[in-house]
Amino acid sequence: MEISSAIFDCSAPDLDSCPDESLPEFAFIGRSNVGKSSLLNMLAGKEGLARTSPTPGFTKLINIFTMNKTWRLVDLPGYGFAEGAKKDSSRFNHAVSQYLKQRTNLCLVFALIDSGLEPQDIDLEFVEWLARNAVPFVLVFTKTDKVTSAVVQANIAAFTVRIREWFEQLPAIFTCSATTEQGRHELLGVVDESMTAIQAEQALVVSEGLAGHVQKAQEPRKRRPDRSRPW
Ligand SMILES: Nc1nc2c(ncn2[C@@H]2O[C@H](COP(=O)(O)OP(=O)(O)OP(=O)(O)O)[C@@H](O)[C@H]2O)c(=O)[nH]1
Ligand SMILES: [Mg+2]
């Protein structure tokens, strides 16, 4: 997939402030500093589109960007930064939780994990939260340029062992580096497949409508792919 236009849309402090749900969205979540904003820029092919920083906890709002005028990338605030950790059992902010649970046009979440680290409790806890709330996601191990591929593979294997019991089918796993652009093609492929699935679903809605089936016209149709998707 080529990205010919990548535009900052808005920064929203909460779900109610997010733009209308007319375009499919793909969101980045993960521990503070894991590389969410950098990965967004890498996929969009536009350095500086989302602001990045070596200081954890930098992204504080739900930042929304429109790609090719037809779909969106969403940069979410990270979890695990002391300020937001407090007593909240899921240890990330309420706006993010609401967005992940209620945004009907959210197609897929890219859940980012630092490939250079052994499984961290906070990431495991978050993945369990995603599973419990049936949020569709893939795992993306970041910053692969910083360690050897043996370390990346060992950390992925260890992570997989720890999460296995929560899933009938493990989530798909990708690796990436914002520095070398490793993984760009694969992750844009995931977006592409998801968009194709949505178009197929919309075509079905039209044909169902033509066949005279009653549609709940006022109810926005969920764009989330069903659980049988390939990832
Ligand atoms: N070497 C390397 N550094 C990276 C990579 N991705 C991000 N970084 C660096 O990691 C730091 C954090 O990156 P961000 O993209 O701001 O991380 P974030 O997850 O958006 O962080 P918060 O907004 O604080 O939650 C920055 O200094 C980036 O330059 C990568 O793939 N390789
Ligand atoms: Mg950020």
Side-chain angles (χ1 to χ4, degrees):
M1 174 194 289
E2 289 301 317
I3 298 192
S4 50
S5 80
I7 294 164
F8 170 70
D9 199 328
C10 67
S11 290
D14 52 33
L15 182 63
D16 287 344
S17 315
C18 288
D20 67 58
E21 299 184 323
S22 59
L23 299 180
E25 289 176 356
F26 299 83
F28 301 89
I29 184 70
R31 212 154 39 86
S32 293
N33 214 42
V34 71
K36 299 175 293 296
S37 305
S38 303
L39 177 58
L40 187 151
N41 291 340
M42 187 267 266
L43 292 186
K46 206 169 181 180
E47 216 170 299
L49 181 63
R51 292 180 62 202
T52 65
S53 165
T55 310
F58 190 72
T59 305
K60 294 189 169 62
L61 298 167
I62 299 172
N63 292 316
I64 303 181
F65 304 84
T66 301
M67 305 293 121
N68 293 348
K69 300 182 180 167
T70 50
W71 55 281
R72 300 182 184 131
L73 287 176
V74 180
D75 191 17
L76 295 169
Y79 54 80
F81 180 55
E83 209 177 49
K86 303 266 168 65
K87 283 189 182 145
D88 183 354
S89 64
S90 55
R91 288 199 263 174
F92 66 105
N93 83 41
H94 181 64
V96 174
S97 161
Q98 270 202 323
Y99 174 87
L100 293 173
K101 288 202 281 196
Q102 296 175 28
R103 187 78 166 155
T104 59
N105 56 330
L106 175 61
C107 288
L108 188 69
V109 171
F110 293 110
L112 273 51
I113 311 285
D114 189 328
S115 70
L117 300 178
E118 289 176 2
Q120 306 286 300
D121 285 346
I122 194 163
D123 290 326
L124 295 163
E125 187 183 314
F126 181 69
V127 166
E128 188 185 16
W129 185 91
L130 288 174
R132 217 179 325 119
N133 288 281
V135 177
F137 74 99
V138 296
L139 287 172
V140 183
F141 287 81
T142 64
K143 305 190 184 183
T144 55
D145 60 287
K146 289 182 78 176
V147 283
T148 63
S149 65
V151 168
V152 171
Q153 290 314 317
N155 287 335
I156 291 176
F159 199 91
T160 306
V161 167
R162 298 285 301 274
I163 66 170
R164 186 168 287 149
E165 65 182 286
W166 303 325
F167 300 91
E168 267 174 39
Q169 197 188 343
L170 278 171
I173 293 175
F174 296 87
T175 54
C176 77
S177 162
T179 306
T180 65
E181 299 201 351
Q182 188 248 317
R184 185 171 191 266
H185 177 74
E186 291 79 3
L187 292 175
L188 286 177
V190 168
V191 171
D192 216 359
E193 275 183 51
S194 204
M195 303 276 284
T196 305
I198 290 165
Q199 280 156 11
E201 191 188 322
Q202 284 170 342
L204 189 67
V205 172
V206 171
S207 68
E208 278 175 358
L210 289 174
H213 289 282
V214 179
Q215 288 287 316
K216 290 183 198 164
Q218 303 308 321
E219 195 179 299
R221 194 173 172 93
K222 284 208 168 203
R223 287 184 185 277
R224 295 183 183 212
D226 67 31
R227 305 297 296 173
S228 64
R229 68 194 183 284
W231 48 79

